[in-house]
Amino acid sequence: MTAARSAKRTLRVLFVFFTDPPRAFSSSVAALSPVVRAEGHESEALEVFRGYTIDDVAAHIDGLAPDVLALSCMTRDWPGAHALIDRQTTDATVVVGGYHASLAPREVAECAGVHAICLGEGERPMARLLDRLSRGEPPETSPGLWVRDAASDRGWDGDPPPADSEPDIAALPWWDYEVFGSVPEAIEAGINTFGPLIDGYLPTRAGRGCPFSCAYCSAPSWGKLGRFSEKSRRNTRPVAELCDELVSLRDRYRPEGFEFWDEHFPVDLKWLEKFAEVYPARVGLPFKVEMHPNAATRPRLTLLKKAGCSLFHCGIEAGDEAFRRDVLNRRTSDARLQAVFDDCRDLGLETSASLMTMLPGETREQMKATTALLHRLKPGSFMWSNFHPLPSTVLGEAGVAHWPGPARKTFSDYDQVKTSMPPAVSAQERAETFAELGALQHQLVQIAAKRAGKDGARPRARPIEVPVPMSAPTAALVRTLALPSPARAVAAAFEKGVLRLQVHHPSFGETEIRFAPLEGNAHFVRSDGFGLSYGGKEAPDALLELLRDLARRLRGTSLEALEKVYRDKPRASAPSEQ
């Protein structure tokens, strides 16, 4: 006869998620919060912007005193999350999930404050974890949940377990939007991703998984972890069940429309045909989708338009066709991309695109090809980011020896990943590319805002910053800085009150030094009115000595004075590399 299980106590679960730019929504938290509530516990969410200081957030969490601290992390979030866990002093059980924890669990296990790691979808593992904790029982390793052995010095015993994804996506609970606070306020602030304008679209999803295998993307490994390709899995929500939820959301929160955050919007033609019939009749709000351009055939685009799609988004990633194919395993021709955007225009579908820069081995000429392709495709808007290698991806596994350690002062303040396949561009070429893309992005956003304003809408253009490219330093700036030989000022830029100086030295190559106000900026050494900093956690002795020398010699010189000599004309020619 087995003893009766102990009575359950109510737990306070605090979900922490990371955003940049700020956005009061996380699909991971929205998916897991209803599980917490269904188990009879309290669910809270804390958005952490990457510019926040780690100590302030750690103190805030300590004050909340949660029983369970659950962090959802992408790879770029983990250095900051690692530091946050190291610095928090609550007695909470710490569980980490998300893409990085799922695909690099051993790396996350090196953080001493982590008690459990969730692998893959977390609904079923989270329910088991909370059940044991609420009964005062220690959690156990089980499918989808890898638990540190607290009773011995063995730590993480054995290999990580397999994931435990729900076989039927329709059986998963509907997302919890209210865990983030007032939903109408979030809609008003804008939590949408696609398109040039901030609007009142509400995120949702119709399916999970992606059928493509791009070399930079985590989706293929995530799909294998969840075994989404097995015939026993249902990865697309039935149209009727999906519409039931969307009608409920429409009537409760009054959004302008819906934005599907699927890794890849469902492509099955029979499903799309039914969706195109049922969605307009039952839901009737505009919606946005993302789909691989190879799947965006004319018949599918036609069905999306019939259903009420207002914007089609796809990734173009890079402008050089051979580079896309051979490096990114993105087997989409320029002609195919052109056909997709032309079809969208012909059907009356708005478009947006995404791309990456600073890709492995990418040259300035290949970056120019990306800008040229954007001009030919003419998307209504685009967003771009710098390539970041990810675990369990072809490019990540091939190029990264180890991931960065914990962040320092803020969540974005950590050493960047060192890869064996860096882009083949100089700092000057990178700055030129960013300025070109930023200017085009800004132009498209402004065009869209003016067009929306003509229709009587209240357009809210996304804030787009056009980077200032570095250029050859003025002769006056060179004289003022008087860098000791063999250091040479190669390029400079002054924006937002900060002087950025690209310096070349035989000991450390090209490095950017920043002269910035003391308040609100990190600095290594300080002069009278500003601080000097450099990229990275450590620096060669020659660079540190150069910073100290500049701080000593520039005492009494203000940033305003440096800006004046920076803008002095004519500019000096950039010194030769010879």
Side-chain angles (χ1 to χ4, degrees):
M1 183 176 177
T2 58
R5 299 189 71 184
S6 57
K8 297 174 64 173
R9 69 183 181 96
T10 301
L11 301 173
R12 293 185 62 215
V13 180
L14 177 64
F15 289 102
V16 174
F17 64 101
F18 303 86
T19 60
D20 186 11
R23 180 184 289 117
F25 186 79
S26 161
S27 58
S28 299
V29 176
L32 292 175
S33 180
V35 174
V36 174
R37 299 191 195 280
E39 292 292 315
H41 305 297
E42 298 175 8
S43 178
E44 302 172 68
L46 178 64
E47 177 192 7
V48 176
F49 175 54
R50 285 164 55 80
Y52 291 169
T53 64
I54 299 167
D55 287 341
D56 286 347
V57 176
H60 182 70
I61 292 174
D62 288 345
L64 294 175
D67 298 301
V68 178
L69 180 60
L71 300 96
S72 177
C73 301
M74 305 291 279
T75 296
R76 72 170 187 176
D77 304 326
W78 175 240
H82 189 167
L84 179 62
I85 294 168
D86 286 344
R87 298 183 201 183
Q88 65 93 32
T89 60
T90 69
D91 294 327
T93 297
V94 177
V95 55
V96 182
Y99 273 92
H100 192 72
S102 297
L103 303 180
R106 294 190 183 280
E107 209 246 339
V108 173
E110 293 177 3
C111 179
V114 174
H115 301 108
I117 297 171
C118 182
L119 298 101
E121 292 183 340
E123 289 89 350
R124 291 150 71 99
M126 177 64 81
R128 291 196 302 273
L129 173 71
L130 296 179
D131 181 66
R132 293 191 65 86
L133 290 175
S134 66
R135 298 180 188 278
E137 302 170 0
E140 295 179 331
T141 293
S142 60
L145 193 70
W146 196 24
V147 177
R148 183 188 295 273
D149 186 355
S152 71
D153 296 330
R154 291 179 299 173
W156 302 88
D157 201 14
D159 295 325
D164 186 23
S165 301
E166 169 61 52
D168 184 358
I169 188 173
L172 294 172
W174 290 356
W175 284 358
D176 177 8
Y177 294 83
E178 295 182 357
V179 70
F180 305 103
S182 168
V183 179
E185 288 182 8
I187 292 175
E188 174 64 23
I191 51 180
N192 63 299
T193 298
F194 305 140
L197 305 179
I198 296 171
D199 56 38
Y201 281 58
L202 197 62
T204 185
R205 74 168 179 175
R208 60 186 178 186
C210 177
F212 294 90
S213 300
C214 302
Y216 53 85
C217 183
S218 298
S221 295
W222 183 265
K224 290 179 182 178
L225 190 69
R227 309 201 313 276
F228 293 157
S229 62
E230 294 182 3
K231 292 183 178 180
S232 60
R233 303 267 161 171
R234 180 159 68 174
N235 300 317
T236 303
R237 298 174 68 180
V239 170
E241 186 266 342
L242 171 62
C243 289
D244 284 344
E245 182 187 15
L246 299 184
V247 167
S248 174
L249 294 172
R250 179 200 65 192
D251 295 345
R252 187 170 188 176
Y253 302 126
R254 304 295 179 182
E256 293 178 26
F258 293 105
E259 188 169 89
F260 286 93
W261 281 14
D262 302 46
E263 294 145 313
H264 192 288
F265 196 71
V267 297
D268 180 78
L269 281 174
K270 289 185 178 180
W271 187 93
L272 284 172
E273 287 169 355
K274 186 171 184 180
F275 182 74
E277 294 294 335
V278 175
Y279 180 91
R282 291 203 57 203
V283 184
L285 292 181
F287 63 91
K288 307 175 189 178
V289 302
E290 178 176 13
M291 188 181 288
H292 194 290
N294 286 3
T297 61
R298 179 79 179 215
R300 290 192 177 101
L301 292 173
T302 301
L303 288 170
L304 288 175
K305 177 63 177 178
K306 179 182 177 182
C309 182
S310 59
L311 183 142
F312 175 86
H313 178 92
C314 74
I316 63 174
E317 311 311 350
D320 184 283
E321 184 175 322
F323 185 88
R324 285 199 306 270
R325 179 187 65 242
D326 299 337
V327 177
L328 306 183
N329 196 34
R330 187 83 173 180
R331 299 177 180 276
T332 306
S333 67
D334 288 354
R336 178 71 201 132
L337 286 168
Q338 192 68 62
V340 170
F341 283 85
D342 288 346
D343 282 344
C344 285
R345 271 186 290 274
D346 187 43
L347 292 167
L349 280 169
E350 295 291 331
T351 57
S352 68
S354 56
L355 59 97
M356 292 182 288
T357 59
M358 305 300 288
L359 289 155
E362 190 176 26
T363 66
R364 172 66 172 134
E365 290 304 309
Q366 288 168 329
M367 290 180 173
K368 288 180 179 178
T370 300
T371 306
L373 180 61
L374 284 170
H375 281 283
R376 295 197 303 273
L377 298 179
K378 297 182 176 63
S381 65
F382 69 93
M383 52 188 178
W384 56 279
S385 61
N386 291 331
F387 166 75
H388 192 297
L390 303 173
S392 293
T393 65
V394 173
L395 293 180
E397 295 299 316
V400 178
H402 60 85
W403 303 99
R408 295 177 286 273
K409 184 177 180 180
T410 67
F411 290 88
S412 58
D413 176 25
Y414 58 87
D415 294 331
Q416 298 303 307
V417 174
K418 292 181 173 62
T419 173
S420 61
M421 299 182 294
V425 293
S426 67
Q428 176 70 15
E429 291 173 324
R430 177 186 62 200
E432 291 170 355
T433 299
F434 288 2
E436 291 168 359
L437 290 172
L440 177 58
Q441 188 182 40
H442 178 76
Q443 177 187 358
L444 294 175
V445 167
Q446 294 305 311
I447 290 172
K450 289 180 181 178
R451 186 172 65 246
K454 289 179 181 179
D455 294 337
R458 182 168 61 89
R460 293 182 292 168
R462 292 192 186 279
I464 303 295
E465 295 183 7
V466 181
V468 176
M470 285 191 173
S471 56
T474 61
L477 181 61
V478 171
R479 287 195 301 270
T480 300
L481 296 174
L483 298 180
S485 180
R488 295 181 288 106
V490 177
F494 202 103
E495 57 179 326
K496 295 186 175 180
V498 176
L499 173 64
R500 297 163 48 218
L501 183 71
Q502 198 72 22
V503 174
H504 183 273
H505 191 286
S507 297
F508 51 78
E510 282 196 13
T511 297
E512 184 176 303
I513 296 173
R514 295 197 171 200
F515 303 71
L518 292 170
E519 294 299 322
N521 293 280
H523 56 270
F524 175 72
V525 294
R526 56 191 297 161
S527 191
D528 287 343
F530 55 84
L532 292 98
S533 63
Y534 60 90
K537 184 178 180 181
E538 298 178 353
D541 291 341
L543 175 56
L544 300 181
E545 183 54 38
L546 176 61
L547 289 172
R548 296 187 186 102
D549 180 73
L550 283 168
R552 286 192 299 268
R553 287 187 297 100
L554 293 175
R555 291 194 186 283
T557 302
S558 66
L559 275 173
E560 290 77 10
L562 289 178
E563 181 178 11
K564 183 177 179 180
V565 295
Y566 161 78
R567 301 191 187 285
D568 182 73
K569 304 292 184 180
R571 293 189 177 275
S573 298
S576 168
E577 293 295 328
Q578 301 299 321

